[in-house]
Amino acid sequence: WVEVMQNGIKSFVPRLLKQGEHFIDSHLFKFNGFVKCNKEYIEHGSIHLISVPKGKIAKVFQENKPRLLGAGKHLIESTGFQFCGMVDIVNSNVIVHGTITILRVTLGKIALTWKDSDPFFIDKPGLYEFDSPDFSFVEFKDAEERLIQLGAKKIILVHTGQVGVTYDAGILKILKNGRHVISNSTHVFHRFLSTQQKSIRLATLNSFERNKRMTMQRQWSSKTQAKIEDQPRYHSDTERQDADLTICETKDLVKVGLRADVFYSIEDPEKCINKIDTDELEDLVRETAIATLTNIIRSTALNEIAQSKNISAGTNDGDLTILPPPDDSERPAPSAPMAIFFERAHDEFMEKLHDDFMQRYGVDIANIRIESFKIMDEDLSDQISKHALTTAQIENEMANLEGKSLISTQTERTAAEVREIAARAEVLALKTKEDAANQRKIDAANAEAESLRIKARAQAEAEAESILLRAEAEAKAIGLKAKAEAERAEVLSRTSLGKQEALLSVYSDMVVNSNKGVEKVVYLDPTVSRESPFALSSLHNLNQDLHSLTQLGIVAEEAGQKHEH
């Protein structure tokens, strides 16, 4: 403690001295002791030194206000300071200090809190900090829980195959599969109800056994393991095997037992809950199904049920049963009378119960499966068993005879088939031989035709080549002749005689062309008609024409020469 002057007033205050040598000259100085520096909290009067390591925070009150100090050294001088300890922030999902609340919501968790007197759920992962006296943390819940409730707020997760039963202001409201958030305080959740298909064994029970089974069902439903002494006790194996049989009488008053199962499901949950208590639905289905099946058996005689060549004696206890093997693939097909009875019983049962339960309770009776039946009278069972054995022996002998007959018939049929196959093989061989001969003839004819075709083609090609060569020779000769005539005409055109010969040639061609197309010949006397166009030209006339043409040629030549000069 040291003396200090503050605002003109001397006072004694606490001080903390660090390591090293300190010289103090004061008669008012007071030494209180040493403290290790690594200590988390050091307090000396109004001085407080808090060393917060990494991964932790310190909870303190300063002037009656909560504070959280992070990692590091904190020196606080206050008379209203209170240290409340350290908290590991790594392993803590919730830190509460006075009005301060820090929450770390991880994936798959929901934080249940109160905020302003209302329930407040935080389901998004993250770090949340609140500093309010109206906020309080309650607990964390798994997001996969089917029912999460805090005050009036509820989160209900309904799985597929179930519905949620709730009452909103006393009125029934069914929640289908999915996630439902309810905030109304008058909307109360009651229970989950399964809509999946269930099966129950139709067994005739007395009142004691019925109460016993109901008690066991309650224990199983609450996931309490039934004790061994609570299990039903049987005096013999026969009683144990008959415990799940429906006992009834046939039309001829013979007591029989049926082992059957009924399959049902809740199709309309609202109607079912409004009509009956769902906890008693299984008993209702069982009792109604047993009564319906009993009425069907009472309207049927024993011989209509038990006449079957597949019925055989049962165990040594004298029971007569038709029990299917565990594997459906090895199950023998029932005989016609048994199959007809089971089919008729199934149809009558479904006709009486299916529509009635659907309309009344919204429950779907899907199917009934009758596995087997047993004659409860041991003496009658023995008699039927002996009769069945005798019948089986007779049928076995008949089957042997029938088998021998079938073997003989099959042998003859096989021999006939062998002969037929041999005949077919012979016919096929002959056909193959004839086809081969015909094919050879066809091949020879095709070869000869091909030879003639090749020969004709060669001859035609030779003739065509010969014609082509002749045509080329003639064309060449014509060309040479035309060339010679052209050269001759050119030579003649250079002389007067040649020019006159050319004029005469033109004149002769004109006369020839003018007489083309004449089909009749008229004979005239030239001395009588000289002016007729059909009169033949006389030598005198021809001479005149030639002279005129010659003069024309001479004149044309002189004109050309003058033109050149």
Side-chain angles (χ1 to χ4, degrees):
W1 292 82
V2 296
E3 180 183 7
V4 297
M5 182 70 70
Q6 293 181 352
N7 298 325
I9 302 174
K10 293 183 179 180
S11 62
F12 292 94
V13 295
R15 285 291 182 265
L16 297 176
L17 302 180
K18 297 182 180 180
Q19 62 182 6
E21 294 182 356
H22 302 273
F23 298 92
I24 301 171
D25 185 11
S26 175
H27 66 281
L28 299 176
F29 178 82
K30 183 180 179 181
F31 174 74
N32 291 107
F34 292 101
V35 179
K36 292 184 178 181
C37 294
N38 58 358
K39 193 175 180 180
E40 290 183 349
Y41 176 57
I42 299 174
E43 180 183 6
H44 179 48
S46 61
I47 296 178
H48 307 272
L49 179 61
I50 302 99
S51 300
V52 183
K54 291 183 178 180
K56 291 187 177 182
I57 57 175
K59 298 192 295 184
V60 301
F61 279 96
Q62 186 175 1
E63 308 299 336
N64 293 327
K65 291 183 179 180
R67 289 182 59 188
L68 296 176
L69 304 179
K73 290 185 177 292
H74 303 271
L75 180 61
I76 300 173
E77 185 174 358
S78 173
T79 57
F81 183 85
Q82 181 182 357
F83 176 74
C84 300
M86 299 280 186
V87 179
D88 186 359
I89 61 175
V90 176
N91 299 321
S92 299
N93 290 328
V94 56
I95 299 174
V96 179
H97 178 51
T99 59
I100 298 176
T101 305
I102 298 177
L103 300 176
R104 180 187 287 111
V105 181
T106 58
L107 186 64
K109 294 288 186 178
I110 297 178
L112 277 61
T113 64
W114 290 92
K115 186 176 181 181
D116 298 330
S117 301
D118 292 328
F120 181 61
F121 291 174
I122 304 175
D123 55 357
K124 293 183 178 180
L127 187 65
Y128 299 86
E129 182 179 355
F130 301 91
D131 187 4
S132 172
D134 296 327
F135 182 87
S136 63
F137 170 77
V138 179
E139 62 177 337
F140 285 106
K141 286 284 189 179
D142 291 332
E144 61 185 11
E145 290 190 19
R146 299 168 64 188
L147 176 62
I148 300 174
Q149 183 172 358
L150 179 64
K153 190 170 184 179
K154 297 167 280 291
I155 296 179
I156 303 172
L157 182 61
V158 183
H159 295 168
T160 301
Q162 293 182 336
V163 294
V165 181
T166 63
Y167 292 91
D168 190 2
I171 300 175
L172 176 65
K173 187 174 181 181
I174 300 298
L175 304 181
K176 296 184 179 179
N177 58 308
R179 189 172 184 267
H180 306 269
V181 180
I182 299 175
S183 301
N184 192 355
S185 59
T186 60
H187 197 168
V188 181
F189 175 78
H190 178 59
R191 58 173 294 187
F192 292 101
L193 182 63
S194 175
T195 57
Q196 295 178 337
Q197 191 177 87
K198 299 180 181 178
S199 66
I200 55 175
R201 177 60 56 89
L202 301 182
T204 304
L205 305 176
N206 54 36
S207 59
F208 175 77
E209 292 174 341
R210 187 179 295 108
N211 293 332
K212 194 84 170 180
R213 178 167 292 191
M214 291 178 63
T215 303
M216 294 172 64
Q217 287 178 353
R218 293 192 187 97
Q219 291 177 350
W220 291 334
S221 62
S222 61
K223 298 183 180 180
T224 302
Q225 185 177 3
K227 298 180 180 179
I228 298 176
E229 57 268 17
D230 291 338
Q231 301 292 336
R233 298 178 180 179
Y234 305 101
H235 298 288
S236 63
D237 293 339
T238 303
E239 291 184 1
R240 185 181 300 277
Q241 295 175 1
D242 296 346
D244 60 347
L245 293 180
T246 300
I247 309 300
C248 51
E249 293 182 349
T250 63
K251 186 177 182 180
D252 41 11
L253 303 180
V254 177
K255 185 177 292 186
V256 297
L258 289 174
R259 182 173 285 106
D261 297 307
V262 171
F263 300 86
Y264 73 96
S265 62
I266 298 177
E267 199 71 22
D268 189 346
E270 186 172 356
K271 180 184 290 187
C272 181
I273 295 172
N274 288 330
K275 292 291 183 180
I276 60 174
D277 185 359
T278 54
D279 293 332
E280 299 178 358
L281 176 60
E282 182 175 340
D283 293 333
L284 175 65
V285 173
R286 179 187 292 106
E287 298 299 333
T288 307
I290 290 175
T292 304
L293 188 59
T294 300
N295 292 333
I296 295 173
I297 299 300
R298 284 177 180 173
S299 63
T300 308
L302 179 63
N303 59 349
E304 297 178 9
I305 303 175
Q307 282 183 357
S308 172
K309 64 181 181 180
N310 291 333
I311 292 182
S312 58
T315 63
N316 296 328
D317 296 333
D319 58 350
L320 182 65
T321 59
I322 302 178
L323 294 175
D327 190 1
D328 292 339
S329 61
E330 299 177 0
R331 181 177 299 176
S335 62
M338 182 65 66
I340 292 174
F341 165 71
F342 283 169
E343 184 178 354
R344 182 173 64 84
H346 173 275
D347 294 343
E348 290 186 14
F349 182 89
M350 296 300 295
E351 182 180 357
K352 292 180 179 180
L353 288 189
H354 182 271
D355 294 341
D356 181 66
F357 264 72
M358 183 63 74
Q359 294 175 1
R360 285 189 181 186
Y361 312 113
V363 177
D364 178 25
I365 304 297
N367 194 13
I368 180 173
R369 180 180 63 193
I370 303 175
E371 293 184 0
S372 61
F373 81 96
K374 173 184 178 180
I375 299 176
M376 307 305 294
D377 189 345
E378 295 184 0
D379 294 335
L380 180 60
S381 176
D382 292 338
Q383 293 178 6
I384 294 177
S385 299
K386 293 177 182 179
H387 178 71
L389 289 174
T390 304
T391 304
Q393 291 176 357
I394 295 174
E395 291 182 352
N396 189 20
E397 293 179 359
M398 294 179 64
N400 290 335
L401 295 175
E402 185 177 358
K404 291 179 181 180
S405 176
L406 290 175
I407 291 172
S408 177
T409 303
Q410 186 63 33
T411 302
E412 294 179 359
R413 185 179 299 171
T414 302
E417 290 179 355
V418 169
R419 290 193 295 270
E420 183 179 358
I421 292 171
R424 289 180 179 176
E426 185 178 358
V427 171
L428 183 59
L430 292 175
K431 183 177 180 300
T432 304
K433 185 177 180 180
E434 292 295 332
D435 290 344
N438 293 333
Q439 187 63 35
R440 287 195 296 272
K441 293 179 181 180
I442 292 172
D443 293 341
N446 289 336
E448 184 178 359
E450 183 67 17
S451 176
L452 293 175
R453 186 175 63 81
I454 294 172
K455 182 178 179 181
R457 179 185 294 176
Q459 185 176 357
E461 291 178 353
E463 291 179 357
E465 187 176 1
S466 175
I467 293 172
L468 181 62
L469 292 174
R470 273 200 309 271
E472 290 179 353
E474 291 179 358
K476 190 174 182 180
I478 292 172
L480 293 174
K481 184 178 179 182
K483 184 177 180 181
E485 290 180 353
E487 292 176 353
R488 178 175 175 274
E490 185 179 358
V491 172
L492 292 176
S493 63
R494 297 175 182 175
T495 63
S496 300
L497 180 61
K499 293 179 180 180
Q500 292 180 359
E501 184 180 1
L503 290 175
L504 291 175
S505 176
V506 171
Y507 180 75
S508 64
D509 292 337
M510 181 184 66
V511 173
V512 172
N513 291 331
S514 65
N515 290 326
K516 284 183 179 181
V518 177
E519 296 180 357
K520 294 182 179 181
V521 180
V522 180
Y523 297 95
L524 296 175
D525 188 359
T527 59
V528 177
S529 178
R530 295 182 180 271
E531 302 297 331
S532 173
F534 296 104
L536 294 176
S537 300
S538 61
L539 293 175
H540 178 72
N541 293 332
L542 288 175
N543 190 19
Q544 290 181 353
D545 294 336
L546 288 175
H547 180 72
S548 299
L549 290 173
T550 302
Q551 294 298 325
L552 288 172
I554 294 171
V555 172
E557 184 179 359
E558 291 178 353
Q561 291 177 357
K562 290 179 179 181
H563 180 70
E564 290 177 359
H565 291 293

